[in-house]
Amino acid sequence: MVFQSPHVKFDFNTIKKYDTPTPRYTSYPPATELSPEFTNSDFISAIATSNQRKSPLSLYFHIPFCQSACYFCGCNVIISNNKEIAKPYLEYLIRDINNTASLIDRERKVDQIHWGGGTPNYLNLEQVELLWKNINRHFTINPKAEISIEINPRYIDKNYIFFLREIGFNRISFGIQDFNTQVQAAVNRIQPKEMLFDVMSWIKEAGFDSVNVDLIYGLPFQTIDTFRETVKKTIELDPDRIAVFNFAYVPWVKPVQKNIPAVALPTPPEKLEILQMTIEELTSSQYRFIGMDHFAKPNDELAIAQNNCTLKRNFQGYTTQAQTELFGFGISSISMLEDAYAQNHKQLKDYYRAIDAGVLPTSKGIKLSWEDMLRRDVIMSIMSHAKLRKQDIEQKYHISFDQYFSKELEELKRIEQDGLVQLSTNHISITEIGRLLVRNIAVIFDTHIQTRAQKFSRAI
């Protein structure tokens, strides 16, 4: 059976054949390659080198707290109803900003800011304003910067949303996951339809430039019919972007998932049918399939960036700011410079201890080799644009593409027979069938994969 929609073709037999564990390639090398051998001093040196490039900046701030646990969650979160826990964290986060910003050239403008979690609206308005003022105090923010925040719609009101817009946030995202009440109860995330539509109406009234919502397929009690209703209600909600994530049931990694009734999970074939339906509904409405699990309206910045070949991926997923270098603040945050990645400590006590000692809270990282950067450009072009122009790589790295990647091209010829790619003298193009299996194509250029294939979720 083959299902075809604009720019995507659903071939069940091919998907089944290639549905193997692969990285999501929000970075290359992936975060699994970060090592504690990369020290605080290494990161400081990488920042100094970064300053010489004078690239614009992207900033990420991690607020890890949630008032209740969502059983599907795979993020690094701290569950607490006692909001006093946020006070010392905010103090340390501001010190983290102060320490790191002192090493960054102030002339480098910030083109992108994102607050993620956890639940950033766990902070009260005074705390939001305090953090915002400290960011402005230490960085030069481009007046046209993309400034986004994730919110939990269960713990927000109209006043909070309008306050976010007034102080400078212009993009916002929130999780729906599923409109179905039985599914919501099974994953401990009760969100009435009326609540979600109210939140969206406040966001639009406040004048945010872009709104993103998240859905998850593969949750307990989902069927193709119930999730079709969720997709239709989401289209009615009219967000600018929609992310549709595949639920990875890994209770041995995330113990909170043990609360999910495993017997109620849809089977792999059912999940594929749900994904097929979702792509059909969204692309036949007004949404363009960007790649992986993202959809956007044609006039959204994601779609425009893809048209202009300025789309890329970082640790938050697809981003429109291909020229920026990313600095992460808060526990578990990852900085992503041109030639080095560094991750902060994941535990509060370790994070606090490092800041009290007057050092950057780096727990691990990696210094990228020339070949890492070469292969990253190849992989990110495939992941972001579904094509690669060999000449771009040859000019930047002064190589003959076909000679350097002769082994990889032989492997690509094999999967070309299954219809995933089209090879020509000058290009590697991902086909409509291959777009759903883009991770399986990108992995061919990954020289680290042999040591860690078992650590990743399946491609679909």
Side-chain angles (χ1 to χ4, degrees):
M1 179 188 300
V2 174
F3 157 76
Q4 188 169 348
S5 68
H7 311 300
V8 188
K9 186 178 290 184
F10 218 99
D11 187 318
F12 284 94
N13 291 331
T14 304
I15 289 172
K16 184 176 180 180
K17 177 177 179 178
Y18 285 92
D19 189 20
T20 56
T22 50
R24 294 181 60 81
Y25 293 117
T26 50
S27 72
Y28 182 81
T32 47
E33 294 303 301
L34 272 58
S35 166
E37 294 180 5
F38 184 93
T39 66
N40 192 282
S41 298
D42 292 326
F43 188 35
I44 292 174
S45 177
I47 295 173
T49 302
S50 173
N51 285 332
Q52 296 174 10
R53 287 189 291 269
K54 300 187 182 299
S55 306
L57 304 177
S58 177
L59 307 179
Y60 174 74
F61 301 91
H62 188 64
I63 312 299
F65 307 109
C66 293
Q67 288 178 245
S68 60
C70 300
Y71 297 158
F72 55 79
C73 183
C75 300
N76 185 39
V77 299
I78 298 170
I79 308 299
S80 177
N81 268 317
N82 180 12
K83 289 197 171 185
E84 291 298 310
I85 195 174
K87 290 183 178 180
Y89 181 78
L90 189 58
E91 293 172 1
Y92 278 94
L93 179 58
I94 289 171
R95 290 167 63 184
D96 182 7
I97 295 168
N98 296 348
N99 295 341
T100 306
S102 68
L103 302 172
I104 302 172
D105 185 349
R106 183 63 188 262
E107 293 185 1
R108 300 174 67 183
K109 287 193 175 181
V110 176
D111 285 350
Q112 189 176 53
I113 297 174
H114 183 68
W115 291 20
T119 306
N121 56 298
Y122 190 92
L123 302 179
N124 62 41
L125 295 183
E126 292 76 14
Q127 291 170 327
V128 169
E129 186 172 23
L130 176 63
L131 179 54
W132 179 253
K133 286 182 176 178
N134 273 273
I135 295 169
N136 277 268
R137 184 175 296 122
H138 293 284
F139 292 98
T140 303
I141 300 177
N142 186 333
K144 296 182 179 180
E146 298 179 7
I147 306 173
S148 61
I149 186 171
E150 300 170 17
I151 62 166
N152 187 322
R154 295 177 295 167
Y155 306 112
I156 204 162
D157 58 22
K158 183 176 181 179
N159 179 59
Y160 199 114
I161 287 175
F162 270 71
F163 180 80
L164 292 174
R165 185 68 187 97
E166 288 167 7
I167 67 171
F169 288 94
N170 49 39
R171 288 153 180 80
I172 197 165
S173 65
F174 62 92
I176 295 174
Q177 323 317 343
D178 197 308
F179 275 95
N180 184 273
T181 55
Q182 185 182 23
V183 176
Q184 290 182 358
V187 299
N188 198 38
R189 177 100 176 195
I190 303 297
Q191 299 180 148
K193 174 186 174 182
E194 294 74 20
M195 171 195 292
L196 297 170
F197 273 78
D198 281 346
V199 169
M200 180 62 91
S201 69
W202 299 335
I203 290 170
K204 291 187 175 182
E205 185 180 347
F208 281 81
D209 295 341
S210 181
V211 188
N212 175 85
V213 301
D214 296 340
L215 303 178
I216 298 179
Y217 71 97
L219 296 177
F221 301 109
Q222 280 180 345
T223 67
I224 187 170
D225 291 330
T226 64
F227 202 68
R228 188 189 303 275
E229 288 302 308
T230 284
V231 173
K232 288 183 178 296
K233 289 174 183 175
T234 302
I235 293 171
E236 183 184 350
L237 204 61
D238 195 35
D240 300 284
R241 303 176 187 177
I242 302 171
V244 186
F245 297 114
N246 172 21
F247 174 58
Y249 182 65
V250 287
W252 55 92
V253 178
K254 293 292 179 180
V256 71
Q257 294 185 0
K258 293 178 181 178
N259 293 294
I260 288 178
V263 294
L265 294 172
T267 65
E270 288 172 333
K271 285 180 69 175
L272 281 178
E273 290 179 354
I274 291 171
L275 177 61
Q276 172 193 1
M277 175 276 299
T278 301
I279 293 173
E280 180 180 23
E281 291 286 346
L282 292 178
T283 56
S284 64
S285 178
Q286 56 178 324
Y287 293 95
R288 172 174 167 176
F289 180 64
I290 299 300
M292 286 283 289
D293 33 37
H294 281 64
F295 300 80
K297 292 181 179 178
N299 62 347
D300 185 82
E301 290 150 326
L302 277 183
I304 294 170
Q306 191 171 60
N307 287 339
N308 296 336
C309 291
T310 57
L311 190 69
K312 80 167 188 178
R313 287 175 69 75
N314 65 18
F315 290 108
Q316 281 78 60
Y318 284 107
T319 174
T320 60
Q321 303 295 329
Q323 76 281 10
T324 61
E325 293 189 273
L326 170 67
F327 283 90
F329 299 90
I331 62 169
S332 75
S333 293
I334 303 178
S335 296
M336 189 175 184
L337 308 187
E338 177 68 18
D339 56 1
Y341 308 151
Q343 183 169 26
N344 290 345
H345 291 290
K346 293 185 177 181
Q347 302 299 322
L348 282 180
K349 59 181 177 59
D350 298 323
Y351 180 71
Y352 291 170
R353 187 182 300 118
I355 294 173
D356 282 336
V359 298
L360 301 185
T362 306
S363 66
K364 56 184 177 179
I366 185 173
K367 174 70 175 175
L368 274 65
S369 67
W370 176 87
E371 184 168 2
D372 284 337
M373 291 186 281
L374 163 63
R375 290 179 178 273
R376 178 183 61 192
D377 279 359
V378 172
I379 288 171
M380 292 306 160
S381 181
I382 290 171
M383 294 293 300
S384 299
H385 306 120
K387 61 184 177 182
L388 180 140
R389 194 172 74 154
K390 296 177 185 178
Q391 184 180 2
D392 293 340
I393 301 299
E394 291 177 330
Q395 290 178 347
K396 182 173 180 179
Y397 291 96
H398 308 291
I399 63 168
S400 165
F401 189 96
D402 288 356
Q403 289 181 10
Y404 195 93
F405 293 109
S406 59
K407 179 181 176 182
E408 288 80 1
L409 287 170
E410 287 301 313
E411 182 68 10
L412 286 173
K413 289 177 183 177
R414 183 184 64 81
I415 69 171
E416 185 179 31
Q417 296 175 1
D418 285 333
L420 273 64
V421 297
Q422 289 181 342
L423 305 179
S424 67
T425 302
N426 301 316
H427 296 87
I428 297 171
S429 301
I430 314 305
T431 66
E432 293 180 348
I433 291 176
R435 292 202 68 191
L436 286 174
L437 295 163
V438 66
R439 293 160 65 179
N440 301 83
I441 300 166
V443 77
I444 291 171
F445 293 91
D446 185 342
T447 57
H448 296 274
I449 190 65
Q450 291 82 5
T451 63
R452 49 175 167 71
Q454 74 282 0
K455 299 180 181 179
F456 299 101
S457 61
R458 291 184 176 273
I460 298 294

